[in-house]
Structure formats: C-alpha cells, structure tokens
Amino acid sequence: MDRWVGKVAVVTGASSGIGAAIVKALANAGMITIGLARRVERVDELKKELPSEAAGRLHGFHCDVTKEEDILAAFKHVEKVFGGVDVLVNNAGVARASVQLFTPNNTAELRQVVDTNLMGLALCSREAFQSMKARSVDGHIVNINSVLGHTVPPLASFNIYAPTKFGVTALTETMRHELRLAGTKIKVTSISPGLVKTEAVPSALLNDDTPILEPEDIADALLYVLGTPPRVQVHELMLRPVGEML
C-alpha cells in the first residue's frame, strides 16, 4: 500500500457496512479518502472510530449514485479540493427483496436496483477514469460485486439484483479491455463476496448457524488487491464464508 499513501480514494456507498469498513481501512492506510453517501452525516460519524491522524484523512460528501448530477458534483468537488481521483471503489449497491420480477407495479423498485448497481457504477467509473487520464495516473477501479454476479441459486427470488451483479462482472471485463485499448495501466478489479453482515441482510439470517463474512473481511481483500505490484492486476477475487451453501 506504500504507493497509495497520500493519494486520493473515492468510495461510494460509504455510510455503513462494507463501505464504512473500506473508508476506515483506506484512511488508516494513509489515503485521503472521500466517502460518498446519501447519509453523509454517517460518514462523518465514522471519524470517531479512527485515530486522529487517520480521521483527518476521511471526508464525506453527499452523493446519490442514481442521480448523474450528484455524481458530477461529487467528482468536481474531489477535483477542486483534492486534485483528482487515484482509486475508485464502486461499493454502492441495493437489493429490493420485497418484490419479485413478476410482481405488479414493481418498476420503481427494479429501476432503483439497476440505476444503483449498474448505471451508478458505470458513471462513477467514467468520471474517475477521466480524472486519472487527465493526470496520467496509473489508478485503480474496484467494483464490489457479489457471488450472485456469477451464479443464481435456486432459493428466494433475487429479482433483478443477480442480473445487475452479472452485469458488474461483464462491466469489469469491458473496462479491462477499454483501459487496455486506451493504452493506460489503470487497473480494474471485481471483488465478489458471499453473504456479508450488513444492514441489508434480513435479521432472520443473522444467527450463529449462518456462515457470514464481516465487512472488514472485504476491506482486507481490497487492501490486498490495491497492494499488488503495478505489473499485477487481480481481475476477480471471490470470498465466501466457510460453509456457505450458495
């Protein structure tokens, strides 16, 4: 991680769960870290959980990744105040378990999942790439994916969530080719965890018998992929809790 000390990381969906663990880990690792979130006050609260020096490197900024104007404003702010983006972590993601694909009048719920998990990721990546390219930075884009981006288990309906995560898998490969063809050395990585203990997990699953990862496990995986030498690109990293059935 030495090459990233003092560099700028932007993390979407930073207010809780995996995103909160990631911004704390990056700030502790010496990166100037901007946590984008709708509940930006919760990013500011995370500073209390950090040593004073690391807390000074963590900054929150309001951004709803389903709104392009929010994304543009956030990256403009990062450019103006911090000089640009060196690392982007696309962590923002939602699931809507209350509806199925064939539930009547479910358009708003399905569209929110697509706009967050796919379009938000694509637009944030576009803006980060432009920042990296303009400054000739060999940066890194990391997409927080899911095991459901590789397989759909025959369990409860995941409606459009799994298709969007399959889309993240395809987007990551598309990015790799576009970055290569553009002649850059910008890396892109997909990290695909299994079940993680976050606010999105139904309370019925949070018992001693359920194999589950902690958000810090994903943050550790992120630090690993960022810490690889410039010649190494970890394209896909999958993490599962021991004993997971999926």
Side-chain angles (χ1 to χ4, degrees), residues 122-145:
L123 297 182
C124 287
S125 299
R126 180 192 69 192
E127 296 306 306
F129 168 76
Q130 294 300 327
S131 176
M132 295 172 189
K133 180 182 177 183
R135 295 174 297 120
S136 300
V137 167
D138 294 337
H140 202 144
I141 298 171
V142 181
N143 300 324
I144 303 302
N145 197 348

Side-chain angles (χ1 to χ4, degrees), residues 11-98:
V11 181
T12 68
S15 63
S16 65
I18 294 172
I22 285 173
V23 294
K24 289 190 290 183
L26 292 176
N28 273 323
M31 295 197 73
I32 300 167
T33 306
I34 297 87
L36 306 184
R38 291 173 298 172
R39 302 172 297 183
V40 69
E41 69 281 354
R42 295 181 64 166
V43 178
D44 295 329
E45 285 293 311
L46 295 174
K47 295 182 179 183
K48 299 176 182 178
E49 303 175 25
L50 294 169
S52 57
E53 186 179 355
R57 290 190 288 265
L58 177 57
H59 310 272
F61 193 84
H62 178 269
C63 181
D64 180 343
V65 299
T66 68
K67 299 177 180 178
E68 184 176 10
E69 60 270 25
D70 278 18
I71 293 173
L72 296 178
F75 281 88
K76 184 177 181 179
H77 170 78
V78 172
E79 193 79 26
K80 180 179 179 180
V81 177
F82 302 103
V85 184
D86 301 301
V87 169
L88 170 67
V89 183
N90 285 307
N91 168 72
V94 297
R96 290 293 176 260
S98 60

Side-chain angles (χ1 to χ4, degrees), residues 211-227:
I212 196 165
L213 298 168
E214 296 289 340
E216 290 74 20
D217 298 327
I218 290 55
D220 288 343
L222 172 72
L223 293 181
Y224 163 70
V225 300
L226 289 178

